[in-house]
Amino acid sequence: MKRLHAAGATARAVDDEGTPVPNPAPALPPLTLYGSLRWDVVEPLLPGAAGRVLEVGCGQGAVGVRLAARAAAYTGVELDADSARTAEQRLVEAGVPGTVVQGPLDSLPAAERFDLVCAFEVIEHIDDDAAALREWAARLRPGGTLLLSTPAWQRRYGPMDEAVGHFRRYDPAALVALLRDAGLTDVGLRLYGVPLGYALEAARNQLARRRPGLREEGSTADRTARSGRLFQPSTSAQGSLVAAATWPFRVAQRAFPRTGTGLVAWGRAAS
């Protein structure tokens, strides 16, 4: 385990009379096309006062910065060392407080609990998904919320799923059952990604078919680690282009919460 960064609280600006003024909004890292669609669904589900937030599998930190900007305290956990370093750097560049830990979830102190636990595009990479959900739920404070996303519909499992180390995709009823079996209540979910998600998925599957090495090189763990680095924009200009390109599709998908290629699900720990 390597604790890469624990950013201090950002300084509070004051005017000429010493009155505190709001800090400027943080510089947000660019999201992927799919990530932009997903965040449009996730953001309204976040509690207004996020409290202590844990993100399992924080990747390169594009979502982590957004979570940290509204949290009392943010911790991201990431297995891939390269992605963890990028996530740490992005927290620093955005000027938001947070911690990135490179290692497994049990690198954190066993007694550490959170108001919100997030895992976006993670559970499909884990062989024993039921055990992972129990582990994540155990990190919640009483009444805390678990929020996750994952690819939808096992029948849509394709070449790119294999290439990025997915064990499976999830039908909605199966995911709801897993969340309840983990001891969570008030379980809910919605689909997202129509119509753009279908086009993106088709393009990615075609890429994986044309490049068989993506599916054949390395172990499942290696392909999982690589997945967090694929299709990642890196500049603010690219982020602005993604935001503009996905805007009409983000609006469109809001009208179809029961249709799409991705799932967002949530549940609450007993009070």
Side-chain angles (χ1 to χ4, degrees), residues 1-8 29 53-68 73-94 96-105 107-109 112 114:
M1 182 271 284
K2 185 176 182 183
R3 188 174 291 264
L4 294 175
H5 177 63
V53 175
L54 168 67
E55 186 182 9
V56 181
C58 67
Q60 295 189 341
V63 172
V65 169
R66 289 163 168 81
L67 294 172
Y74 168 83
T75 300
V77 177
E78 172 56 44
L79 289 173
D80 181 58
D82 290 341
S83 294
R85 282 191 291 269
T86 299
E88 175 268 333
Q89 181 181 353
R90 284 175 161 176
L91 281 172
V92 173
E93 291 173 350
V96 294
T99 300
V100 175
V101 174
Q102 193 263 304
L105 181 55
S107 301
L108 300 180
E112 196 165 3
F114 300 86

Side-chain angles (χ1 to χ4, degrees), residues 33-49:
L33 291 166
Y34 238 125
S36 181
L37 297 176
R38 186 182 309 117
W39 181 248
D40 189 73
V41 175
V42 167
E43 186 176 23
L45 297 172
L46 298 173

Side-chain angles (χ1 to χ4, degrees), residues 76 80 82 119 125 145 158 172 190 195 205 210 212 228 244:
D80 181 58
D82 290 341
H125 293 277
T145 298
R190 64 151 294 167
N205 281 330
R210 291 180 175 179

Side-chain angles (χ1 to χ4, degrees), residues 34 37-42 45 121 148-156 169-176 188-195 197-198 201 249-266:
Y34 238 125
L37 297 176
R38 186 182 309 117
W39 181 248
D40 189 73
V41 175
V42 167
L45 297 172
E121 309 304 290
L148 62 85
S149 70
T150 188
W153 309 113
Q154 177 60 23
R155 67 177 182 268
R156 298 189 66 83
R169 297 170 72 111
Y170 288 87
D171 293 346
L175 187 56
V176 166
L189 60 77
R190 64 151 294 167
L191 288 125
Y192 73 93
V194 60
Y198 292 97
E201 190 171 277
F249 300 104
R250 285 182 277 131
V251 173
Q253 72 179 3
R254 297 170 194 169
F256 300 95
R258 298 181 181 180
T259 306
T261 57
L263 271 171
V264 172
W266 56 90

Side-chain angles (χ1 to χ4, degrees), residues 72-242:
Y74 168 83
T75 300
V77 177
E78 172 56 44
L79 289 173
D80 181 58
D82 290 341
S83 294
R85 282 191 291 269
T86 299
E88 175 268 333
Q89 181 181 353
R90 284 175 161 176
L91 281 172
V92 173
E93 291 173 350
V96 294
T99 300
V100 175
V101 174
Q102 193 263 304
L105 181 55
D106 60 12
S107 301
L108 300 180
E112 196 165 3
R113 297 293 182 269
F114 300 86
D115 301 291
L116 175 66
V117 174
C118 300
F120 302 120
E121 309 304 290
V122 175
I123 192 169
E124 65 275 8
H125 293 277
I126 300 174
D127 190 7
D128 192 345
D129 52 357
L133 276 171
R134 290 193 297 269
E135 184 182 18
W136 300 345
R139 288 288 179 168
L140 290 170
R141 289 176 171 173
T145 298
L146 174 66
L147 180 61
L148 62 85
S149 70
T150 188
W153 309 113
Q154 177 60 23
R155 67 177 182 268
R156 298 189 66 83
Y157 189 95
M160 185 54 74
D161 291 291
E162 184 180 2
V164 296
H166 292 174
F167 282 96
R168 70 195 72 80
R169 297 170 72 111
Y170 288 87
D171 293 346
L175 187 56
V176 166
L178 280 169
L179 289 166
R180 289 175 175 161
D181 287 346
L184 298 172
T185 63
D186 299 331
V187 172
L189 60 77
R190 64 151 294 167
L191 288 125
Y192 73 93
V194 60
L196 181 59
Y198 292 97
L200 292 174
E201 190 171 277
R204 291 182 178 188
N205 281 330
Q206 185 64 19
L207 173 64
R209 289 188 189 98
R210 291 180 175 179
R211 295 177 58 186
L214 287 175
R215 308 193 307 275
E216 299 167 359
E217 293 175 0
S219 64
T220 300
D222 293 333
R223 296 196 300 273
T224 291
R226 184 179 60 202
S227 69
R229 301 189 295 268
L230 288 174
F231 313 116
Q232 296 291 328
S234 58
T235 67
S236 58
Q238 290 171 332
S240 297
L241 182 61
V242 167

